[in-house]
Amino acid sequence: MKNLDTITPKSLYLSRREFLRAAGYAGTAALLAACTPNTPDASTSDNLTDTLTPSDVAKSFINYYEFSLSKSSVADLAKDFTTDPWQVEVSGLVKHPQTFSVGDLTSQFPVKKRVYRMRCVEAWSMVLPWQGFPLHKLLDLVEPTPEAQFVAFESVLRPEQMPSQQSLAFPWPYREGLRLDEAMHDLTILATGLYDEPLTPQNGAPIRLVVPWKYGFKSLKSITKITLVKDMPPTLWSSIGPDEYGFYANVNPEVDHPRWSQATELRMGDDTRRPTLLFNGYDEVASLYKDLDLRQNY
Ligand SMILES: Nc1nc2c(c(=O)[nH]1)N[C@H]1C(S)=C(S)[C@@H](COP(=O)(O)O)O[C@H]1N2
Ligand SMILES: [Mo]
């Protein structure tokens, strides 16, 4: 297999790492990225047919910053990460706050296969066969109160097993959020498996969010907390780079990242470049945004 880091030139990783070490993350939005774009060298293709990404690509080309900024290093660094036992605390503005083990969840909510496109903000994409259940089933069980308008998510904080939580001055743990109606949409799932196997640590074991019409950084891995809140919650990427990573992060070919175009994407595995689709092609979510300026609310 070719060097998995070629998509992001090593010089960028190195300069970013050195920079972070020297200065921390404060006030450096322009230099930071969740992600760095791949070079648009392949020719544009109109072919929108979706073939599954080979599993060896999806399990080795990884963004999981708690382990490493180097995509090709994560799988090895994460291989002994402890994912059992694991608890997910669901609380905040709900009638029935509760802490679940992953088994509690998968025994109550039937896990089904969902094949989704995954579009990273870095302008590459994959097609992945998840196993999971709709998040709305869990939210219906705990019953959000009428004041609840957003859902805040937290990934795991475990610096002893996650090297970058010691070395990288990010506001850990990784946090994300959705508007309540986005969280309740049937496309939004909690995934526990991929390619008919339990999730690997690098892909977010034992349980992660998948929101297929948003850039990949919204789909946070290894969830420990889900909190129903009134106000839009802070997120890791929007606090580090507010001009580059917004709260909504809907896939949108018309709204470029400040440092690169979002018009096309490189499909991993088949190495073709294709047009990026509004909402990553999931048109059924368009009605959620009929009153929202998608350029302002990137
Ligand atoms: N906790 C956590 N979740 C995360 C990330 C991360 O660094 N930490 N990276 C995000 C990004 S940028 C992407 S593109 C997807 C990648 O998911 P995959 O590796 O399973 O394809 O995970 C997202 N979830
Ligand atoms: Mo991403």
Side-chain angles (χ1 to χ4, degrees), residues 4 74 92 123 126 128 148 154 173 235 237 244 258 274:
L4 292 171
V74 173
M126 296 188 190
L128 302 174
E154 233 178 82
T235 69
W237 283 113
E244 307 200 346
R274 59 188 69 211

Side-chain angles (χ1 to χ4, degrees), residues 34-35 63 119-122 124 215-217:
C35 303
N63 274 333
R119 173 41 162 99
C120 179
V121 73
E122 297 168 345
W124 53 262
Y215 291 120
F217 67 85

Side-chain angles (χ1 to χ4, degrees), residues 17-251:
R17 276 206 210 101
E18 279 155 17
F19 183 83
L20 288 168
R21 216 171 274 138
Y25 67 86
T28 60
L31 283 162
L32 285 165
C35 303
T36 310
N38 48 287
T39 325
D41 49 7
S43 59
T44 301
S45 158
D46 312 312
N47 178 9
L48 298 176
T49 312
D50 286 327
T51 309
L52 280 192
T53 300
S55 67
D56 61 328
V57 175
K59 290 175 183 176
S60 52
F61 183 86
I62 300 287
N63 274 333
Y64 199 158
Y65 273 37
E66 289 89 329
F67 288 101
S68 176
L69 306 186
S70 159
K71 290 173 169 54
S72 59
S73 303
V74 173
D76 189 52
L77 288 168
K79 69 180 187 311
D80 298 323
F81 183 66
T82 312
T83 57
D84 182 23
W86 192 274
Q87 303 213 298
V88 182
E89 182 189 317
V90 188
S91 63
L93 301 173
V94 295
K95 288 192 190 140
H96 317 289
Q98 204 177 321
T99 297
F100 300 87
S101 70
V102 177
D104 292 338
L105 295 171
T106 52
S107 58
Q108 283 182 79
F109 308 122
V111 166
K112 301 223 171 83
K113 188 160 180 172
R114 296 267 183 115
V115 178
Y116 282 159
R117 288 179 290 275
M118 162 78 81
R119 173 41 162 99
C120 179
V121 73
E122 297 168 345
W124 53 262
S125 61
M126 296 188 190
V127 182
L128 302 174
W130 303 104
Q131 294 102 248
F133 60 87
L135 175 62
H136 63 74
K137 296 203 174 184
L138 173 58
L139 295 177
D140 284 341
L141 183 81
V142 298
E143 281 193 70
T145 65
E147 305 85 71
Q149 291 190 43
F150 291 90
V151 187
F153 301 88
E154 233 178 82
S155 286
V156 64
L157 184 66
R158 202 186 290 161
E160 66 280 16
Q161 286 193 331
M162 302 182 115
S164 306
Q165 288 187 339
Q166 301 171 34
S167 59
L168 188 58
F170 276 15
W172 306 113
Y174 195 109
R175 288 193 180 84
E176 261 307 332
L178 294 173
R179 225 168 50 188
L180 183 57
D181 60 344
E182 298 175 323
M184 293 296 287
H185 196 281
D186 191 62
L187 284 173
T188 303
I189 61 169
L190 289 176
T192 55
L194 185 58
Y195 297 98
D196 295 318
E197 288 167 9
L199 281 179
T200 59
Q202 65 268 31
N203 293 109
I207 187 163
R208 61 142 345 137
L209 188 69
V210 183
V211 192
W213 72 93
K214 292 179 180 283
Y215 291 120
F217 67 85
K218 298 294 288 184
S219 293
L220 84 174
K221 297 176 174 179
S222 308
I223 293 184
T224 58
K225 276 191 194 153
I226 300 177
T227 313
L228 283 283
V229 294
K230 187 170 187 302
D231 299 316
M232 186 180 280
T235 69
L236 180 132
W237 283 113
S238 63
S239 67
I240 292 173
D243 304 333
E244 307 200 346
Y245 308 103
F247 179 83
Y248 283 94
N250 291 314
V251 175

